[in-house]
Coordinates of all heavy atoms in Angstrom, one line a residue:
M20 N 87.0 173.9 126.4 CA 86.2 174.9 125.8 C 86.9 175.4 124.6 O 88.1 175.8 124.7 CB 85.9 176.1 127.0 CG 84.9 177.1 126.5 SD 85.0 178.4 127.7 CE 83.4 178.1 128.4
N21 N 86.3 175.6 123.5 CA 86.9 176.0 122.3 C 86.0 177.4 121.9 O 85.2 177.3 121.2 CB 86.8 175.1 121.1 CG 87.9 174.1 121.2 OD1 89.1 174.6 121.6 ND2 87.7 172.9 120.9
V22 N 86.5 178.6 122.5 CA 85.9 179.7 122.2 C 86.4 180.4 120.9 O 87.6 180.6 120.7 CB 86.2 180.7 123.3 CG1 85.6 182.0 123.1 CG2 85.7 180.1 124.7
P23 N 85.5 180.7 120.0 CA 86.0 181.3 118.7 C 86.3 182.7 119.0 O 85.6 183.3 119.8 CB 84.8 181.1 117.7 CG 83.7 181.0 118.6 CD 84.1 180.4 119.9
V24 N 87.2 183.3 118.2 CA 87.5 184.7 118.3 C 87.4 185.3 117.0 O 87.9 184.8 116.0 CB 89.0 184.9 118.8 CG1 89.4 186.3 118.9 CG2 89.2 184.3 120.2
Y25 N 86.6 186.4 116.8 CA 86.6 187.2 115.6 C 87.3 188.4 115.6 O 87.2 189.1 116.8 CB 85.1 187.5 115.4 CG 84.2 186.4 115.0 CD1 83.8 185.5 115.8 CD2 84.0 186.2 113.6 CE1 83.0 184.3 115.5 CE2 83.2 185.0 113.2 CZ 82.8 184.1 114.1 OH 82.1 183.0 113.7
I26 N 88.0 188.8 114.7 CA 88.9 190.0 114.7 C 88.5 190.8 113.5 O 88.7 190.2 112.4 CB 90.4 189.7 114.8 CG1 90.7 188.9 116.0 CG2 91.2 191.1 114.8 CD1 92.1 188.2 115.8
T27 N 88.2 192.1 113.6 CA 88.1 192.8 112.4 C 89.5 193.6 112.1 O 90.2 194.0 113.1 CB 86.9 193.9 112.6 OG1 87.3 194.8 113.7 CG2 85.6 193.4 112.8
N28 N 89.7 193.7 110.8 CA 91.1 194.3 110.5 C 91.0 194.8 109.1 O 90.3 194.4 108.2 CB 92.1 193.1 110.5 CG 93.5 193.7 110.5 OD1 93.8 194.7 111.2 ND2 94.4 193.1 109.6
K29 N 91.9 195.8 108.9 CA 92.1 196.5 107.6 C 93.5 197.1 107.6 O 93.7 198.1 108.4 CB 91.1 197.4 107.2 CG 91.4 197.9 105.8 CD 90.2 199.1 105.4 CE 90.6 199.5 104.0 NZ 89.5 200.6 103.6
N30 N 94.4 196.6 106.8 CA 95.8 197.2 106.8 C 96.6 197.3 108.0 O 97.5 198.2 108.1 CB 95.7 198.6 106.0 CG 95.3 198.5 104.6 OD1 95.6 197.5 103.9 ND2 94.5 199.5 104.1
R31 N 96.3 196.5 109.0 CA 97.1 196.5 110.3 C 97.8 195.1 110.4 O 97.1 194.1 110.6 CB 96.2 196.7 111.4 CG 95.5 198.0 111.3 CD 96.3 199.3 111.8 NE 95.7 200.5 111.9 CZ 96.0 201.6 111.2 NH1 97.0 201.6 110.4 NH2 95.3 202.7 111.3
L32 N 99.1 195.2 110.2 CA 99.9 193.9 110.3 C 100.5 193.8 111.8 O 100.2 192.7 112.3 CB 100.9 193.9 109.4 CG 102.0 192.8 109.3 CD1 101.2 191.4 109.2 CD2 103.1 192.9 108.3
T33 N 101.2 194.7 112.3 CA 102.0 194.4 113.5 C 101.0 194.2 114.7 O 101.2 193.1 115.3 CB 102.8 195.6 113.9 OG1 103.6 195.8 112.8 CG2 103.7 195.3 115.2
S34 N 99.9 194.8 114.9 CA 99.0 194.5 116.0 C 98.4 193.3 115.8 O 98.1 192.5 116.7 CB 98.1 195.8 116.3 OG 97.3 196.1 115.0
L35 N 97.9 193.0 114.5 CA 97.1 191.8 114.3 C 98.0 190.5 114.5 O 97.6 189.5 115.2 CB 96.7 191.7 112.9 CG 95.9 190.4 112.4 CD1 94.5 190.4 113.2 CD2 95.8 190.3 110.9
K36 N 99.2 190.7 114.1 CA 100.3 189.5 114.2 C 100.4 189.3 115.7 O 100.4 188.1 116.1 CB 101.6 189.8 113.6 CG 102.5 188.6 113.7 CD 103.7 189.0 112.9 CE 104.8 187.8 112.9 NZ 104.8 186.9 113.9
R37 N 100.7 190.3 116.5 CA 100.9 190.2 118.0 C 99.6 189.4 118.6 O 99.8 188.5 119.4 CB 101.1 191.5 118.7 CG 102.4 192.0 118.4 CD 102.7 193.3 119.3 NE 103.8 193.9 118.8 CZ 104.0 195.1 118.9 NH1 103.1 196.0 119.3 NH2 105.3 195.7 118.5
L38 N 98.4 189.9 118.2 CA 97.2 189.2 118.8 C 97.0 187.7 118.4 O 96.8 187.0 119.3 CB 95.9 190.2 118.3 CG 94.7 189.6 118.8 CD1 94.5 189.6 120.3 CD2 93.5 190.6 118.2
V39 N 97.2 187.5 117.1 CA 97.0 186.3 116.7 C 98.0 185.3 117.2 O 97.7 184.2 117.6 CB 97.1 186.1 115.1 CG1 97.2 184.6 114.5 CG2 95.9 186.8 114.5
D40 N 99.3 185.7 117.3 CA 100.3 184.9 117.9 C 99.9 184.5 119.5 O 100.1 183.4 119.9 CB 101.7 185.6 118.0 CG 102.3 185.6 116.5 OD1 101.9 184.9 115.7 OD2 103.3 186.4 116.3
W41 N 99.5 185.7 120.1 CA 99.1 185.3 121.5 C 97.8 184.4 121.5 O 97.8 183.5 122.5 CB 98.7 186.7 122.2 CG 98.2 186.6 123.6 CD1 99.1 186.3 124.6 CD2 96.9 186.5 124.2 NE1 98.2 186.3 125.8 CE2 96.9 186.4 125.4 CE3 95.7 186.9 123.4 CZ2 95.7 186.5 126.2 CZ3 94.6 186.9 124.1 CH2 94.6 186.7 125.6
L42 N 96.9 184.6 120.7 CA 95.7 183.7 120.8 C 96.0 182.3 120.4 O 95.4 181.3 120.9 CB 94.6 184.3 119.8 CG 94.0 185.5 120.1 CD1 93.1 186.1 119.0 CD2 93.1 185.3 121.4
L43 N 97.0 182.0 119.5 CA 97.4 180.7 119.1 C 98.0 180.0 120.3 O 97.9 178.8 120.4 CB 98.3 180.7 118.0 CG 97.7 181.1 116.6 CD1 98.7 181.3 115.5 CD2 96.6 180.0 116.1
E44 N 98.6 180.7 121.2 CA 99.3 180.1 122.4 C 98.2 179.9 123.7 O 98.6 179.5 124.7 CB 100.4 180.8 122.8 CG 101.4 180.8 121.7 CD 101.9 179.5 121.4 OE1 102.1 178.6 122.4 OE2 102.4 179.2 120.3
T45 N 97.1 180.6 123.5 CA 96.1 180.7 124.7 C 95.2 179.4 124.7 O 94.5 179.1 123.7 CB 95.3 181.9 124.4 OG1 96.1 183.1 124.4 CG2 94.3 182.1 125.7
P46 N 95.2 178.8 125.9 CA 94.2 177.7 126.0 C 92.7 178.1 125.8 O 92.5 179.2 126.1 CB 94.5 177.2 127.4 CG 95.8 177.7 127.8 CD 95.9 179.0 127.1
D47 N 92.0 177.3 125.4 CA 90.5 177.4 125.3 C 90.1 178.3 124.0 O 89.0 178.5 123.9 CB 90.0 178.0 126.5 CG 90.1 177.1 127.7 OD1 90.0 175.8 127.5 OD2 90.0 177.5 128.8
V48 N 91.1 178.8 123.2 CA 90.8 179.6 122.0 C 90.6 178.5 120.9 O 91.5 177.7 120.7 CB 91.8 180.7 121.8 CG1 91.6 181.2 120.3 CG2 91.8 181.7 122.8
G49 N 89.5 178.6 120.3 CA 89.2 177.8 119.2 C 89.6 178.4 117.9 O 90.7 178.9 117.7
R50 N 88.6 178.5 116.9 CA 89.0 179.0 115.6 C 89.3 180.5 115.9 O 88.6 181.2 116.7 CB 87.8 178.9 114.7 CG 87.7 177.5 114.1 CD 86.5 177.4 113.1 NE 85.3 178.1 113.5 CZ 84.7 178.9 112.6 NH1 84.9 179.0 111.4 NH2 83.6 179.5 112.9
I51 N 90.1 181.1 115.1 CA 90.3 182.6 115.0 C 90.0 183.1 113.7 O 90.5 182.5 112.6 CB 91.7 182.8 115.2 CG1 92.3 182.3 116.6 CG2 92.1 184.4 115.2 CD1 93.8 182.3 116.8
I52 N 88.9 183.9 113.5 CA 88.4 184.4 112.3 C 88.7 185.9 112.1 O 88.4 186.6 113.0 CB 86.9 184.1 112.2 CG1 86.4 182.7 112.4 CG2 86.3 184.6 110.8 CD1 86.1 182.3 113.8
V53 N 89.5 186.2 111.1 CA 89.9 187.5 110.8 C 89.0 188.0 109.9 O 88.8 187.3 108.7 CB 91.3 187.7 110.4 CG1 91.7 189.1 110.0 CG2 92.4 187.1 111.4
L54 N 88.3 189.1 110.0 CA 87.4 189.8 109.1 C 87.9 190.9 108.4 O 88.0 192.0 109.1 CB 85.9 190.1 109.8 CG 85.3 189.1 110.5 CD1 84.2 189.7 111.4 CD2 84.9 187.9 109.7
D55 N 88.5 190.7 107.3 CA 89.3 191.7 106.6 C 88.4 192.5 105.7 O 87.7 191.9 104.9 CB 90.5 191.2 105.9 CG 91.4 192.2 105.4 OD1 91.1 192.7 104.2 OD2 92.3 192.6 106.0
Q56 N 88.6 193.8 105.6 CA 87.7 194.6 104.8 C 88.4 195.5 103.9 O 88.7 196.8 104.1 CB 86.8 195.4 105.6 CG 85.7 194.6 106.3 CD 84.6 195.5 106.8 OE1 84.3 196.5 106.4 NE2 83.9 194.8 107.7
G57 N 89.1 195.0 102.8 CA 89.8 195.8 101.9 C 91.2 196.0 102.1 O 91.7 197.1 101.5
T58 N 91.9 195.1 102.7 CA 93.4 195.5 102.9 C 94.0 195.5 101.5 O 93.9 194.8 100.6 CB 93.9 194.3 103.7 OG1 93.6 194.3 105.0 CG2 95.5 194.3 103.7
T59 N 95.0 196.5 101.4 CA 95.8 196.8 100.3 C 97.2 196.5 100.6 O 98.1 196.6 99.7 CB 95.5 198.0 99.7 OG1 95.7 199.0 100.6 CG2 94.0 198.1 99.2
Y60 N 97.5 196.4 101.9 CA 98.9 196.4 102.4 C 99.5 195.0 102.0 O 99.2 193.9 102.7 CB 99.0 196.7 103.9 CG 100.3 196.8 104.5 CD1 101.3 197.6 104.0 CD2 100.7 196.2 105.6 CE1 102.5 197.7 104.5 CE2 101.9 196.1 106.1 CZ 102.9 197.0 105.6 OH 104.1 197.2 106.2
Q61 N 100.5 194.9 101.2 CA 101.0 193.5 100.7 C 101.7 192.7 101.7 O 101.4 191.5 101.8 CB 101.9 193.8 99.5 CG 101.3 194.3 98.2 CD 100.2 193.4 97.8 OE1 100.3 192.2 97.7 NE2 98.9 193.9 97.4
P62 N 102.4 193.3 102.7 CA 102.9 192.4 103.7 C 101.8 191.8 104.6 O 102.0 190.7 105.0 CB 103.8 193.4 104.6 CG 104.2 194.4 103.5 CD 103.0 194.7 102.7
L63 N 100.9 192.4 104.8 CA 99.7 191.8 105.4 C 99.0 190.7 104.6 O 98.7 189.5 105.2 CB 98.6 192.9 105.9 CG 97.3 192.4 106.6 CD1 97.7 191.5 107.8 CD2 96.4 193.5 106.9
L64 N 98.9 190.9 103.4 CA 98.4 189.9 102.5 C 99.2 188.6 102.5 O 98.8 187.4 102.5 CB 98.0 190.4 101.2 CG 96.9 191.5 101.1 CD1 96.8 192.1 99.6 CD2 95.6 191.0 101.3
A65 N 100.4 188.8 102.5 CA 101.4 187.7 102.6 C 101.3 187.0 103.9 O 101.4 185.7 103.9 CB 102.9 188.2 102.4
Y66 N 101.1 187.8 104.9 CA 101.0 187.2 106.4 C 99.8 186.3 106.4 O 99.8 185.2 106.9 CB 101.0 188.2 107.4 CG 100.6 187.9 108.8 CD1 101.5 186.9 109.5 CD2 99.3 188.1 109.3 CE1 101.1 186.6 110.8 CE2 99.1 187.7 110.5 CZ 99.9 186.9 111.3 OH 99.6 186.5 112.6
Y67 N 98.7 186.8 105.8 CA 97.5 185.9 105.9 C 97.7 184.6 105.2 O 97.2 183.5 105.7 CB 96.4 186.6 105.0 CG 95.7 187.8 105.6 CD1 95.1 188.8 105.0 CD2 95.7 187.9 107.2 CE1 94.5 189.8 105.5 CE2 95.0 189.0 107.7 CZ 94.4 189.9 107.0 OH 93.7 191.0 107.6
K68 N 98.5 184.6 104.2 CA 98.8 183.3 103.5 C 99.6 182.3 104.4 O 99.6 181.2 104.1 CB 99.5 183.6 102.1 CG 98.6 184.1 101.1 CD 99.3 184.4 99.7 CE 98.4 185.3 98.7 NZ 99.2 185.7 97.6
S69 N 100.4 183.0 105.2 CA 101.2 182.1 106.1 C 100.6 181.5 107.3 O 101.1 180.7 108.0 CB 102.4 182.9 106.5 OG 102.2 183.9 107.4
L70 N 99.3 181.9 107.6 CA 98.7 181.5 108.9 C 98.3 180.1 108.8 O 97.9 179.4 107.7 CB 97.4 182.4 109.0 CG 97.7 183.8 109.4 CD1 96.5 184.6 109.4 CD2 98.4 183.9 110.9
P71 N 98.3 179.4 110.1 CA 97.8 178.1 110.1 C 96.2 177.9 109.8 O 95.6 178.9 109.8 CB 98.1 177.6 111.5 CG 98.2 178.8 112.3 CD 98.6 180.0 111.2
K72 N 95.8 176.8 109.4 CA 94.5 176.4 109.0 C 93.5 176.8 110.1 O 92.3 177.2 109.9 CB 94.1 175.1 108.7 CG 94.8 174.7 107.4 CD 94.6 173.3 107.0 CE 95.3 173.0 105.7 NZ 94.9 171.6 105.2
R73 N 94.0 177.0 111.4 CA 93.1 177.3 112.6 C 92.6 178.8 112.4 O 91.7 179.1 113.1 CB 93.9 177.1 113.8 CG 93.0 177.2 115.1 CD 93.9 176.8 116.3 NE 93.6 177.6 117.4 CZ 94.3 177.8 118.4 NH1 95.5 177.4 118.4 NH2 94.0 178.6 119.4
V74 N 93.3 179.6 111.7 CA 93.0 180.9 111.5 C 92.4 181.2 110.2 O 92.9 180.8 109.1 CB 94.3 181.8 111.5 CG1 93.9 183.4 111.4 CG2 95.0 181.6 112.8
D75 N 91.1 181.6 110.2 CA 90.2 181.7 108.9 C 90.2 183.1 108.6 O 89.7 184.0 109.4 CB 88.9 181.1 109.2 CG 87.9 181.2 108.0 OD1 88.4 181.4 106.9 OD2 86.7 181.1 108.2
V76 N 90.8 183.5 107.5 CA 90.6 184.9 107.0 C 89.6 185.1 106.0 O 89.6 184.4 105.0 CB 92.0 185.5 106.4 CG1 91.9 186.9 105.8 CG2 93.2 185.2 107.4
R77 N 88.6 186.0 106.3 CA 87.5 186.2 105.4 C 87.6 187.5 104.8 O 87.7 188.5 105.6 CB 86.2 186.0 106.1 CG 86.0 184.6 106.7 CD 84.7 184.4 107.3 NE 84.6 183.2 108.1 CZ 83.6 182.9 108.8 NH1 82.5 183.5 108.8 NH2 83.6 181.6 109.3
F78 N 87.7 187.6 103.5 CA 87.8 188.9 102.8 C 86.3 189.4 102.5 O 85.7 188.8 101.8 CB 88.5 188.9 101.6 CG 90.1 188.4 101.8 CD1 90.6 187.0 101.8 CD2 90.9 189.4 102.2 CE1 91.8 186.8 102.1 CE2 92.3 189.1 102.5 CZ 92.7 187.8 102.5
L79 N 86.0 190.6 103.1 CA 84.8 191.1 102.9 C 84.9 192.5 102.2 O 85.8 193.0 102.0 CB 84.2 191.5 104.4 CG 84.2 190.3 105.2 CD1 83.7 190.7 106.7 CD2 83.4 189.1 104.9
E80 N 83.7 192.8 101.7 CA 83.6 194.2 100.9 C 84.0 195.3 102.0 O 83.6 195.3 103.2 CB 82.3 194.4 100.4 CG 82.0 193.3 99.3 CD 82.7 193.6 98.1 OE1 83.2 194.7 97.7 OE2 83.2 192.5 97.5
P81 N 84.7 196.3 101.5 CA 84.8 197.4 102.4 C 83.6 198.1 103.1 O 82.6 198.1 102.3 CB 85.5 198.5 101.5 CG 86.4 197.7 100.5 CD 85.3 196.5 100.3
N82 N 83.7 198.3 104.3 CA 82.4 198.7 105.1 C 82.8 199.9 105.9 O 83.8 199.7 106.7 CB 82.0 197.6 105.7 CG 80.5 197.9 106.5 OD1 80.3 199.1 106.9 ND2 79.8 196.9 106.7
P83 N 82.3 201.0 105.9 CA 82.7 202.1 106.8 C 82.3 201.9 108.3 O 82.8 202.5 109.1 CB 81.8 203.4 106.4 CG 80.7 202.7 105.6 CD 81.1 201.4 105.0
H84 N 81.6 200.8 108.5 CA 81.2 200.4 109.8 C 82.0 199.1 110.4 O 81.3 198.1 110.6 CB 79.8 200.1 110.0 CG 78.9 201.4 109.6 ND1 79.0 202.7 110.2 CD2 78.3 201.6 108.4 CE1 78.3 203.5 109.6 NE2 77.8 202.9 108.5
L85 N 83.3 199.1 110.0 CA 84.1 197.8 110.3 C 83.8 197.2 111.7 O 83.7 196.0 111.7 CB 85.6 198.3 110.2 CG 86.6 197.1 110.5 CD1 86.4 196.1 109.3 CD2 87.9 197.7 110.5
C86 N 83.6 198.0 112.7 CA 83.4 197.4 114.0 C 82.1 196.6 114.2 O 81.9 195.9 115.1 CB 83.6 198.4 115.1 SG 82.5 199.7 115.0
W87 N 81.3 196.9 113.2 CA 79.9 196.3 113.3 C 79.7 195.1 112.4 O 78.6 194.6 112.4 CB 78.6 197.3 113.1 CG 78.8 198.5 114.2 CD1 79.2 199.8 114.0 CD2 78.2 198.4 115.4 NE1 78.9 200.3 115.2 CE2 78.3 199.6 116.0 CE3 77.7 197.3 116.3 CZ2 78.1 199.9 117.4 CZ3 77.2 197.5 117.5 CH2 77.4 198.8 118.1
V88 N 80.6 194.7 111.6 CA 80.4 193.8 110.7 C 80.1 192.5 111.2 O 79.3 191.8 110.6 CB 81.7 193.7 109.6 CG1 82.8 193.0 110.6 CG2 81.4 192.9 108.5
F89 N 80.5 192.0 112.3 CA 80.0 190.8 112.9 C 78.6 190.5 113.0 O 78.0 189.6 112.6 CB 80.8 190.6 114.3 CG 80.4 189.4 115.0 CD1 81.1 188.1 114.8 CD2 79.3 189.4 116.0 CE1 80.8 187.0 115.5 CE2 79.1 188.2 116.7 CZ 79.8 187.1 116.5
W90 N 78.0 191.7 113.5 CA 76.5 191.7 113.6 C 75.8 191.9 112.3 O 74.7 191.3 112.1 CB 76.1 192.8 114.8 CG 76.4 192.3 116.1 CD1 76.0 191.4 116.9 CD2 77.7 192.7 116.7 NE1 76.7 191.2 118.0 CE2 77.8 192.0 117.9 CE3 78.8 193.4 116.4 CZ2 78.8 192.1 118.8 CZ3 79.8 193.6 117.3 CH2 79.8 192.9 118.5
E91 N 76.4 192.8 111.4 CA 75.7 193.1 110.3 C 75.7 191.7 109.3 O 74.7 191.6 108.6 CB 76.4 194.2 109.4 CG 76.3 195.5 110.0 CD 77.0 196.5 109.3 OE1 77.8 196.3 108.4 OE2 77.0 197.7 109.7
L92 N 76.6 190.8 109.4 CA 76.5 189.7 108.7 C 76.0 188.4 109.4 O 76.0 187.4 109.0 CB 78.1 189.3 108.2 CG 78.7 190.3 107.3 CD1 80.0 190.1 106.9 CD2 77.8 190.5 106.0
H93 N 75.4 188.8 110.6 CA 74.8 187.8 111.5 C 75.7 186.5 111.7 O 75.4 185.4 111.8 CB 73.5 187.4 110.8 CG 72.5 188.4 110.7 ND1 71.9 189.1 111.7 CD2 72.2 189.1 109.5 CE1 71.1 190.0 111.1 NE2 71.4 190.1 109.9
M94 N 77.0 186.8 112.0 CA 77.9 185.8 112.4 C 77.8 185.2 113.7 O 78.2 184.0 114.0 CB 79.4 186.4 112.3 CG 79.7 186.7 110.8 SD 81.4 187.2 110.6 CE 81.5 187.4 108.9
E95 N 77.0 185.9 114.5 CA 76.6 185.2 116.0 C 75.8 184.0 115.7 O 75.8 183.1 116.5 CB 75.9 186.2 116.8 CG 74.4 186.6 116.3 CD 74.4 187.7 115.4 OE1 75.3 188.1 114.6 OE2 73.2 188.0 115.1
D96 N 75.2 184.0 114.5 CA 74.4 182.7 114.3 C 75.3 181.5 114.0 O 74.7 180.4 114.3 CB 73.5 182.9 113.0 CG 72.3 184.0 113.2 OD1 72.1 184.2 114.4 OD2 71.8 184.5 112.2
E97 N 76.4 181.6 113.5 CA 77.5 180.6 113.4 C 77.7 179.9 114.7 O 77.9 178.7 114.7 CB 78.7 181.2 112.7 CG 78.7 181.5 111.3 CD 80.1 182.0 110.9 OE1 81.1 181.8 111.4 OE2 80.0 182.7 109.8
Q98 N 77.6 180.6 115.8 CA 78.0 180.1 117.1 C 76.8 179.4 117.8 O 76.9 178.5 118.6 CB 78.5 181.1 118.0 CG 79.6 182.0 117.4 CD 80.7 181.1 116.8 OE1 81.1 180.2 117.4 NE2 81.1 181.4 115.5
T99 N 75.6 179.7 117.3 CA 74.4 179.0 118.0 C 73.9 177.9 117.2 O 72.9 177.1 117.6 CB 73.4 180.1 118.3 OG1 72.9 180.7 117.0 CG2 74.0 181.2 119.3
G100 N 74.1 177.8 115.9 CA 73.4 177.0 115.0 C 74.4 176.1 114.4 O 74.3 175.2 113.9

């Protein structure tokens, strides 16, 4: 089973790194998609560049409703179609 994981993020490096490291070691986790909304923290931007291809970082326009972006962009359709 290759379950995709979507993560919303903005300017958070340490917690994101811990989560991504754990997910990369977890069986059954497929693609990891980070939905970033306007990060300006340079160490985080550098970390994004170092990630393996299995982690897809998508840079989105800043949105005050960060937690709802998955549904607002209809990303659930990626999983069914």
